[in-house]
């Protein structure tokens, strides 16, 4: 999904990597058991991937952008499986992961229907008892400015639970944080 120059610079920065490591991932994954086999959808420049690869036995990453997937493969291919793939059409077998995660990427998906296909694919590739978890940003003036000439399709915390339930998930929790203008979610495959 296209990102403007300022957005690309931010998301590929060491500062962003530190923010994800120190603030976003600890909050988003609080009380989440990832298990041994984890899929990250939409790793982008790899800020989250480089933290996750230290926490799990086997990490797979599905990245839609071919250049980003190649860069991730070059940097992390010895420690993670990196696929050039759309999270809505994963070339992976059913029930193959203990958890599926995505962070600060769903707002880059241009339509709600495409986001819903990602939710359905996350459900499909999860093992029974597996968790789908993640976080994303919510709209604000600063966030809209960052996304000038950029894809920005934020999640509505009021409608997200029903969308995840339609994908098949149970035990859905959506937790908006007013201070950071983020939301986190988690849901299970029974």
């Amino acid at each position: 999904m296209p990102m403007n120059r300022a957005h690309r610079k931010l998301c590929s920065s060491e500062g962003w990597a530190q923010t994800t490591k120190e603030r976003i991932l600890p909050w988003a994954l609080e009380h989440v058991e990832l298990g041994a086999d984890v899929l990250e959808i939409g790793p982008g420049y790899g800020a989250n991937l480089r933290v996750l690869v230290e926490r799990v036995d086997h990490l797979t990453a599905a990245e839609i952008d071919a250049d980003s997937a190649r860069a991730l493969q070059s940097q992390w291919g010895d420690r993670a499986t990196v696929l050039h793939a759309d999270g809505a059409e994963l070339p992976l077998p059913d029930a193959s992961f203990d958890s599926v995660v995505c962070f600060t990427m769903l707002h880059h998906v241009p339509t709600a229907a495409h986001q819903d296909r990602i939710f359905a694919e996350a459900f499909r590739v999860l093992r029974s008892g597996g968790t789908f978890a993640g976080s994303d940003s919510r709209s604000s003036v600063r966030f809209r400015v960052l996304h000038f000439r950029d894809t920005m399709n934020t999640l509505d915390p009021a409608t997200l639970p029903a969308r995840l339930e339609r994908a098949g998930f149970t035990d859905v929790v959506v937790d908006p944080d007013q201070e950071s203008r983020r939301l986190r979610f988690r849901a299970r495959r029974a």
Side-chain angles (χ1 to χ4, degrees), residues 56-71:
V56 300
D57 293 342
H58 186 256
L59 180 65
T60 300
E63 173 55 46
I64 195 169
D65 180 73
D67 291 338
S68 295
R70 277 192 294 279

Side-chain angles (χ1 to χ4, degrees), residues 86-102:
D86 183 342
E89 297 177 43
L90 296 168
L92 297 164
D94 294 353
S96 49
F97 295 94
D98 298 315
S99 61
V100 176
V101 295
C102 60

